[in-house]
Amino acid sequence: MTSLLGERSGTLGRESSGDSLRLSSMSLTERSSTESLPLPFGELGCKLSDQELRETAYEIFVAACRNTAGKPLTYISSSERAVGSTTPSSAERSLSSASSMSASPSMQRSLTSTAASKMKKALGMKSSKRGSGKESSPSRTVKKPMTIGELMRVQMRASEQTDSRIRRGLLRISASQLGRRVESIILPLELMQQFKNSDFPDQQEYEAWRSRNLKLLEAGLLLHPLIALDKSDVSSQRLRQIIRGASERPIETGKNSESMQALRSAVMPLASRSADGFSSDAYHWADGSPLNLHLYHVLLEACFDYEEGSIIDEIDDLMDLIKKTWIVLGITQMLHNLCFLWILFYRFVKTGQRDLDLLVAADNQLMEVSNDAKSSKDVVYSKILSSTLSSILGWTEKRLLTYHDTFSVTNIEFMEYIVSLGVSSAKIMVEDISHEYRRKRREEADVARSRIDTYIRSSLRTSFAQIMEKVDSNRRSAKNQSISVPVLAILAKDTGDLANKEKNIFSPILKRWHPLAAGVAVATLHSCFGNELKQFISSVTDLTIDSVQVLKAADKLEKDLVQIAVEDSVDSEDGGKGLIREMPPYEAESVIANLTKAWLKVRVDKLKECVDKNLQQEAWNSKGTNKERCAPSAVEVLRSVVETIDAFFQLPIPIHPALLPDLMIVLDKSLQYYATKVKSGCGTRSSFIPALPSLTRVEIGSKIWKKKDKSQNLQRRNSQVGTVTGEGSFGLLQFCLRMNTLHHIRTEVENLGKKIKTCLRNVESAQADITNGFESKFDLTLSACQEGIQQLCETAAYKMIFSDLSHVLWDSLYIGDTSASRIDPMLKQLDQNLGTISNILHDRLRNRVITAVMKASFDGFLLVLLAGGPARAFARHDSQILEDDFKALKDVYLADGDGLPVEVVEKAAAQVKSVLPLFRIDTESLIERFKHLMIETCGATAKSKLPLPPTSGHWSPTDANTVLRVLCHRNDEAASKFLKKMYNLPKKL
C-alpha cells in the first residue's frame, strides 16, 4: 500500500476523474459481490453520494485532528509552495507561522516504522511482509517519506488542492473563533462562510461543493437529528424553505450575505438543541444515526488499501487519528466496534472473498461486539446491531445452507470463520437482542447447535438432490447400452462418497459447534436414500441381478453411514442412540434373506449340532490326534464348514455374491462359537496367582524349618499364599492341544477364503470386479482364536509355575536354610515341562508359550523373595545365592543359544534384576532407604510414625513396600527391632 502513495498523490489532482477510473477497473465479480450487501445502518433519505460522504468525512477528520489546545492547523501543500495556487492572506500567514510548531504531532509523524501492527495482531491477522512506507510491489517505490496526514489524504482520495482548501478554511475559522472546540463548530456552515466561487478551480466544482454542504445540513439537522424534531419547530421549517429555495436562487457563500445570515439563523438553534431543553456547547449536526455511521464507515474505509482491499500496515496510527472524530460524530467504543466489524466483513466480501486475513479479523472483532451486546441497553445501538448482524447472518446463511456448493478442499480454510460469523451473529441476536429468548430458560435453547443442524441438513439434502439428478441424467444418456448398473446402486455409491466427503472435509469444522455434526449428516443422507429405497423395495417381487445389486449397495451404504454415526457419537451422553433412532434400518438384507431363510436355517442348525456334538466327545488328550497335533473335533467342524460352502454354491440361484455375506456371517459365528468353547473352563492367569500373605517377621536364630514340623509348615504356607482357584483338571498336555487347535482353525480360515474365491469364479453370476474385490473375513473367528491362544498361553504358564511346580517353588525354595534349599529342583522339573511344550506345541506357538512361562517363573521367584512368609529369612551373604539362582533360572530359557533371544530374556528379567541388589544392602541402609521413600510419599510429618505402605503389585527398589518386605525377610537383630518398634509385626501368622 504505502509504496504506491508517492504515485497516488500525483494522480489525485483531478479527483472525480480518478474515482471514475478506479471504479471502472473494479472487476464484475467484486461489484456483484456487494450488490446484495447494502450498508446496514439505514437509508440516508437524501442524495448524498459516496464521494460527497467521503469529502465530508475528510473535512471532519482534518478538523478533529487539530491540536487539543484548539490552535489552528497549518498546512501548505507542495503545489502551493511551488505555484501559490491560492495565496493566503497576511493574517493567515501570520497565524500559520505562529502555530507551525504546535501542529498535531501525530499528523506529522513519518511513515518509516516497520514495527508490526498491534491492531493486526489483536485481530489475528498476519503481519505484512513489506516494510511500512517502503514498498508494496517490485514495480513501484515511494518517492519520499510520508506522514500520517498525507497517508490519510491519499486514502480518502482527496487532492492536495482540496486538502489545502480545507485546512485554509479551518485556519480562517480558528482565526475568527479562537479557542472553540471542534464539537462546537458546525463545519458545513462555517466552511460555506469561508469560501466563495473564486476559491475553486471551476464553477462546476464550486456548485457541487455548495450543494453537498446544504444536503449535509439537511441530513444532519432535518432528516437524522440526534434529538427528534417537533413538527412545530420554526427553525426546522425555515431551514427546509432555505434549502428548497437554494435550488432556484443559490446562496452566496464566502461572506455575510443576507442568505448566509438566514441560513445561520436557521441552523444554529437546530444544532444547539439538547435532550434536557437547555442549549449546549456541542452542536449536533453530524451525530444523528444513520448519517454519523455512514460518515464513520467512510473514515474506516481509509484503513484499507482501496486497490488491493487489505488493511494497511499503518492502521494503528491512522485509527488513533480517526478516533478523534468520535466527539463530532457521536461515536462510542461500542459503535466503533460494530462499525469496524462491518467494514472488515464488507471488505472481505467486496474484494472477492479471497483475503482470509479479513475474514479472521472480522470473526475476532465479532467477539468484541458480542461482549458489548451483553452489556448494552441502548435501543438505538440494539437496532443498528440487529441490522448489522442480520446482514452478516443473511450473507453467511446463503452460503452455509448449501455449503457443499460453496466450499471445497481448495477454499475450506474459509469455512470455519464464515460459520463462526454466522453462528456468533445468530447467538447475539437470539440471546442478547431477542426479548422472547430472555423469557425462556437458557438451557432450553442451543442457538449454535440448532443453526449448524439446519445448515447440515439443508446442504446435504440439496447435494443429494443434485446427485439424484446427475445419476438419472446419466441413466437416460446410457439407456441404449447393453450393460448398465441400476440407478439406485449408483446413487448408493455416490451417497457414500458424499458421506465420506462430509466426514473428512466438513464435519471436523462443524464439530466445533455441533458435537454430532457427522452423525447428523449421515442421518440426513440415510433418510434421503431411504425414501428412494422404500419405493424400489415395494416394487420388487423376485430376486434379479439388478435388485441384488441395489440391495447390496444399499446395505453397504447403511453400514458405512451407521459406522460414521457411531464413531461420531462415542463421547455423546446417549452414546448416539438418538441418532441411530433417526436412522431406521433399510432391511435390504431381509428381502434376499426371506427367499433363502429356510435353507440357511437348516444349514445353521446342522452346523451348530456338529460343533456341540464334537465338543462333547472331545477328550483333549494325545490319543486320536492328527499330524497337526490338534483336536479331532476341530477337523470335523472344519469339514462341516466346507460342506456348507459347497452346498451354498450349488444352490440354483444366480445371486451367490449378493447372498455370500450372509453365509460368511453364519460360518464366522459357528467357528467363533467353537473357538470360544475351546478356551472355556480353562481358567485365567489370575486364577493361579496366589494371594499375598500378611506381613510378618521371622524369628531370629530359631529353627525355621524342622523336619518334624514339615507337614505343619506346609499347611501354614498354603494358608499364607492362598489357594488356587483355577481348573485343576487341565494339564499341560490339554493346554497345548487346545492352543494347537485354535492355531489350526486360524490357519484353515485362510484356506476357506481361497476356496470361496474359487467357487465365486466358477458361478455364472460372479463378475470379475465382484470376484476380485471379494475378501473373506472371519473377523469373529480370528479374534476368538487370537484371544483364546493368549488366554490359554498365560493360563498354562501361571498354572505350571504356581500350581504344577508349587511343591518346588512355594513349598521348598529357600525354606529354612537358604543354601540348603536352592532352585535346582525347580529348574529340573521346569526343564522337563519346557521339553513337553517343545514336543507338542506347533512351531509358531512354541516361543510364545515359553516366554509366558519365563515371565510367570520370574514373577514366582520374586514372590518367594518378597512374600515368602515367616518360613524364609535371608542374610546379606545369601544375596549371592539368590543372584546365582536367578542366573541359573535365566539360563534355562537361553538354553546355550538355542532358546529364547537374549534381549527377550533380559527384558523379562529387568524387574528381578532391579530388586536383587536390595538383598546385598546392609540393614541400616535399608531402613534409611525405607524411611526416605516413606517421607517422600507421606511428607515430613511421618518421620516419627510411618504408616504401613500399601502393596502396589509392582516390585521396585524405589517402592517402599518392596523395601519393607526385604526388611521383613532380613535375618538380623536390627531389622527385627526396627519392625517391632515401627509396626509391631508378629513373628508368626
Side-chain angles (χ1 to χ4, degrees), residues 700-904:
I700 304 301
S702 66
K703 297 294 184 180
I704 299 174
W705 186 260
K706 298 179 181 179
K707 187 173 182 180
K708 63 180 181 179
D709 296 328
K710 183 173 182 180
S711 60
Q712 180 181 354
N713 279 320
L714 177 59
Q715 182 179 3
R716 184 171 70 249
R717 280 289 301 148
N718 286 339
S719 65
Q720 290 170 356
V721 301
T723 58
V724 173
T725 59
E727 298 284 349
S729 60
F730 284 27
L732 181 59
L733 177 62
Q734 285 194 349
F735 277 108
C736 291
L737 288 175
R738 289 172 188 264
M739 283 187 276
N740 281 344
T741 300
L742 291 177
H743 177 73
H744 178 63
I745 292 175
R746 188 170 61 180
T747 303
E748 286 302 306
V749 162
E750 299 177 2
N751 296 330
L752 289 176
K754 295 175 183 177
K755 176 180 178 59
I756 292 172
K757 281 191 174 183
T758 301
C759 293
L760 269 177
R761 295 188 185 99
N762 294 333
V763 296
E764 296 180 0
S765 60
Q767 299 174 6
D769 58 337
I770 297 177
T771 305
N772 295 335
F774 169 74
E775 293 182 9
S776 61
K777 291 186 177 180
F778 288 85
D779 292 340
L780 298 176
T781 302
L782 292 174
S783 177
C785 289
Q786 180 67 23
E787 293 174 4
I789 291 174
Q790 180 64 27
Q791 179 181 331
L792 290 171
C793 179
E794 292 182 351
T795 304
Y798 278 80
K799 180 179 183 298
M800 179 195 301
I801 298 301
F802 292 101
S803 180
D804 298 345
L805 301 182
S806 64
H807 61 287
V808 290
L809 179 69
W810 290 112
D811 301 339
S812 300
L813 184 60
Y814 305 139
I815 293 293
D817 186 358
T818 303
S819 61
S821 53
R822 297 183 63 175
I823 202 169
D824 294 338
M826 177 183 172
L827 299 183
K828 182 177 180 181
Q829 295 196 30
L830 178 62
D831 190 60
Q832 293 175 358
N833 285 340
L834 293 178
T836 301
I837 291 173
S838 298
N839 292 330
I840 298 176
L841 267 181
H842 192 279
D843 296 344
R844 299 284 295 275
L845 300 174
R846 189 175 299 134
N847 277 5
R848 184 174 177 180
V849 175
I850 292 177
T851 300
V853 173
M854 175 181 66
K855 293 179 179 178
S857 65
F858 290 174
D859 286 351
F861 186 78
L862 268 183
L863 283 176
V864 166
L865 300 184
L866 300 174
R872 292 178 171 90
F874 304 103
R876 283 185 63 193
H877 58 79
D878 292 332
S879 60
Q880 187 61 50
I881 295 176
L882 303 183
E883 292 174 7
D884 292 344
D885 281 358
F886 182 63
K887 182 180 181 303
L889 180 59
K890 286 196 303 177
D891 289 343
V892 170
Y893 301 105
L894 292 171
D896 295 327
D898 295 330
L900 298 175
V902 176
E903 60 271 16
V904 174

Side-chain angles (χ1 to χ4, degrees), residues 8-249:
R8 287 183 194 167
S9 61
T11 60
L12 291 171
R14 290 179 296 171
E15 188 174 343
S16 58
S17 64
D19 287 344
S20 63
L21 178 63
R22 277 185 294 276
L23 289 174
S24 65
S25 66
M26 182 186 292
S27 68
L28 290 174
T29 302
E30 291 176 350
R31 278 183 283 172
S32 62
S33 66
T34 57
E35 285 176 359
S36 59
L37 199 63
L39 292 181
F41 307 135
E43 296 293 334
L44 286 177
C46 59
K47 297 179 180 180
L48 275 169
S49 66
D50 290 344
Q51 181 178 330
E52 289 175 323
L53 286 171
R54 188 164 54 250
E55 291 172 352
T56 303
Y58 185 65
E59 290 172 349
I60 295 174
F61 172 81
V62 175
C65 287
R66 296 187 309 165
N67 58 1
T68 54
K71 295 180 181 179
L73 287 168
T74 176
Y75 179 81
I76 302 177
S77 68
S78 59
S79 59
E80 279 188 301
R81 287 194 295 269
V83 300
S85 60
T86 303
T87 306
S89 67
S90 60
E92 290 170 352
R93 286 196 300 271
S94 62
L95 282 170
S96 172
S97 176
S99 61
S100 61
M101 298 302 293
S102 60
S104 175
S106 58
M107 290 283 282
Q108 301 300 322
R109 189 181 303 138
S110 176
L111 298 182
T112 58
S113 172
T114 59
S117 166
K118 292 181 180 179
M119 280 192 68
K120 281 190 174 184
K121 184 177 181 181
L123 291 168
M125 305 180 74
K126 297 176 182 177
S127 298
S128 174
K129 294 181 180 179
R130 56 187 171 85
S132 175
K134 291 189 177 181
E135 64 176 354
S136 176
S137 64
S139 61
R140 300 185 183 187
T141 56
V142 177
K143 294 181 179 179
K144 63 176 181 178
M146 299 193 69
T147 64
I148 296 294
E150 288 174 298
L151 172 63
M152 187 61 174
R153 177 186 65 76
V154 175
Q155 288 296 98
M156 294 294 287
R157 297 174 238 182
S159 66
E160 289 191 1
Q161 291 84 350
T162 300
D163 182 77
S164 177
R165 183 174 63 244
I166 294 171
R167 295 175 185 274
R168 192 165 58 251
L170 292 172
L171 199 62
R172 294 171 182 173
I173 295 170
S174 296
S176 62
Q177 303 180 25
L178 193 63
R180 295 194 67 184
R181 298 189 304 274
V182 66
E183 68 269 23
S184 63
I185 299 174
I186 307 174
L187 201 56
L189 179 65
E190 299 299 340
L191 288 176
M192 289 177 70
Q193 188 79 48
Q194 302 302 327
F195 295 121
K196 53 184 180 298
N197 192 339
S198 59
D199 290 301
F200 293 85
D202 55 55
Q203 182 66 22
Q204 183 180 0
E205 185 173 341
Y206 167 68
E207 291 176 356
W209 171 82
R210 181 176 57 193
S211 174
R212 171 173 64 85
N213 283 294
L214 288 175
K215 284 190 287 185
L216 190 65
L217 290 172
E218 178 185 18
L221 296 175
L222 298 179
L223 299 179
H224 308 291
L226 178 67
I227 302 167
L229 287 171
D230 191 333
K231 293 182 179 179
S232 61
D233 190 274
V234 176
S235 297
S236 64
Q237 295 174 0
R238 186 184 310 128
L239 181 57
R240 285 192 181 92
Q241 292 172 356
I242 293 172
I243 293 174
R244 280 197 299 267
S247 60
E248 299 176 359
R249 185 179 179 183

Side-chain angles (χ1 to χ4, degrees), residues 524-695:
T524 303
L525 290 176
H526 186 278
S527 175
C528 290
F529 186 83
N531 292 333
E532 304 302 317
L533 184 64
K534 284 179 183 178
Q535 298 180 31
F536 171 79
I537 291 177
S538 64
S539 64
V540 173
T541 56
D542 56 1
L543 281 173
T544 64
I545 294 178
D546 283 357
S547 61
V548 169
Q549 280 188 276
V550 170
L551 291 167
K552 181 179 178 182
D555 184 59
K556 180 182 183 305
L557 172 64
E558 183 171 50
K559 285 182 170 62
D560 292 343
L561 297 181
V562 170
Q563 180 63 28
I564 293 174
V566 170
E567 291 175 356
D568 193 50
S569 55
V570 168
D571 299 327
S572 63
E573 293 181 0
D574 66 348
K577 294 179 180 178
L579 277 176
I580 299 302
R581 283 195 294 269
E582 197 178 329
M583 302 168 68
Y586 290 157
E587 298 182 351
E589 294 179 350
S590 65
V591 178
I592 300 173
N594 289 338
L595 300 176
T596 53
K597 184 176 181 180
W599 183 89
L600 282 175
K601 186 177 185 305
V602 171
R603 300 304 303 189
V604 169
D605 292 343
K606 185 177 179 180
L607 197 55
K608 176 70 163 51
E609 290 175 3
C610 175
V611 171
D612 289 335
K613 179 181 177 181
N614 281 280
L615 281 172
Q616 289 174 3
Q617 296 175 350
E618 186 59 66
W620 301 107
N621 55 38
S622 59
K623 297 178 181 180
T625 55
N626 41 61
K627 63 180 181 179
E628 298 295 336
R629 290 170 290 180
C630 68
S633 60
V635 178
E636 288 299 314
V637 169
L638 288 169
R639 184 178 60 78
S640 296
V641 169
V642 172
E643 289 177 353
T644 302
I645 293 173
D646 291 338
F648 171 77
F649 282 103
Q650 291 172 7
L651 287 175
I653 55 175
I655 48 175
H656 296 95
L659 294 175
L660 183 58
D662 297 325
L663 179 64
M664 295 294 298
I665 292 173
V666 171
L667 299 180
D668 193 17
K669 287 185 176 179
S670 297
L671 290 175
Q672 179 207 23
Y673 175 72
Y674 178 84
T676 303
K677 288 293 184 181
V678 169
K679 69 173 183 177
S680 63
C682 295
T684 62
R685 164 185 167 176
S686 59
S687 304
F688 297 97
I689 297 179
L692 297 182
S694 302
L695 283 174

